[in-house]
Amino acid sequence: MSLPRGWEQPGKVLKLIKSVYGLVQAPLHWFNKLSDGLIKVGLKLSALDPCLSIGEKGMCIVYVDDCLMFAHDVNDIDEIIQKIIEENFLLHVESDVAGFLGIDIECQDVGAIELKQSTSIQRIIDTLSFQNASPKATPAEVAELPADVDGPGPQECWSYSSVVGMLL
């Protein structure tokens, strides 16, 4: 990082007061700022899971910079969101939770919530051109696989790390 124009003073060091996106400690600073904001609006961090905040009128689940709110009444969610905005957070509010983190969330008539990842799975199948693959309960024998020393090299047009990333 270089000094701003006009600050070139040999032997002087600047102290970074706010974390900058991309620095190693930026996610921790963001989480601390968000946690402080959630506490100020009346939500208490769970002792069992710091990504869960629980309040009298609702709860909030946090994953990186995505939040999912639950309450018995939608007006309570709107009230919590308004308080968070008043704490100087810029929010993009979705109308429903249809695809939160690649998970399809459907409320059933019996009061149950169904979680499915069919959209994410279909995206992976399409990306890897596995439309004609034959499904198996266990994709390989439950035994140690022998080394393939004489076989051809990989023919795929995708990287192993990108496939692992899709599965996470």
Side-chain angles (χ1 to χ4, degrees):
M1 191 162 124
S2 59
L3 295 174
R5 196 174 323 141
W7 286 88
E8 295 88 7
Q9 297 179 6
K12 297 287 183 178
V13 176
L14 297 179
K15 179 181 178 185
L16 183 64
I17 296 174
K18 290 187 176 184
S19 61
V20 179
Y21 176 81
L23 294 179
V24 173
Q25 64 271 30
L28 177 62
H29 286 287
W30 163 248
F31 181 76
N32 289 340
K33 179 181 173 71
L34 180 60
S35 297
D36 290 344
L38 292 173
I39 290 169
K40 285 181 183 176
V41 301
L43 299 174
K44 181 181 173 189
L45 294 178
S46 167
L48 300 175
D49 186 350
C51 297
L52 174 64
S53 298
I54 303 169
E56 201 172 292
K57 293 186 174 185
M59 65 174 64
C60 177
I61 298 171
V62 178
Y63 182 81
V64 186
D65 62 350
D66 292 320
C67 298
L68 182 60
M69 304 233 176
F70 291 94
H72 289 288
D73 185 353
V74 71
N75 293 325
D76 292 336
I77 293 175
D78 293 339
E79 182 182 323
I80 294 170
I81 289 172
Q82 186 57 42
K83 287 180 181 178
I84 292 171
I85 290 171
E86 290 169 6
E87 288 295 322
N88 293 322
F89 284 93
L90 296 173
L91 298 179
H92 174 76
V93 179
E94 298 286 338
S95 59
D96 61 17
V97 297
F100 182 72
L101 301 176
I103 300 171
D104 298 322
I105 303 171
E106 297 177 9
C107 295
Q108 304 298 319
D109 293 335
V110 294
I113 297 174
E114 184 177 3
L115 306 175
K116 296 189 280 184
Q117 289 188 292
S118 51
T119 305
S120 297
I121 292 168
Q122 189 61 50
R123 180 179 51 86
I124 293 169
I125 289 170
D126 293 343
T127 301
L128 302 177
S129 300
F130 281 175
Q131 291 86 352
N132 296 324
S134 53
K136 305 279 186 218
T138 305
E141 288 184 36
V142 185
E144 187 173 324
L145 295 174
D148 183 13
V149 292
D150 298 325
Q155 304 295 317
E156 298 83 10
C157 60
W158 40 265
S159 71
Y160 180 76
S161 60
S162 67
V163 173
V164 171
M166 284 189 251
L167 297 172
L168 296 177

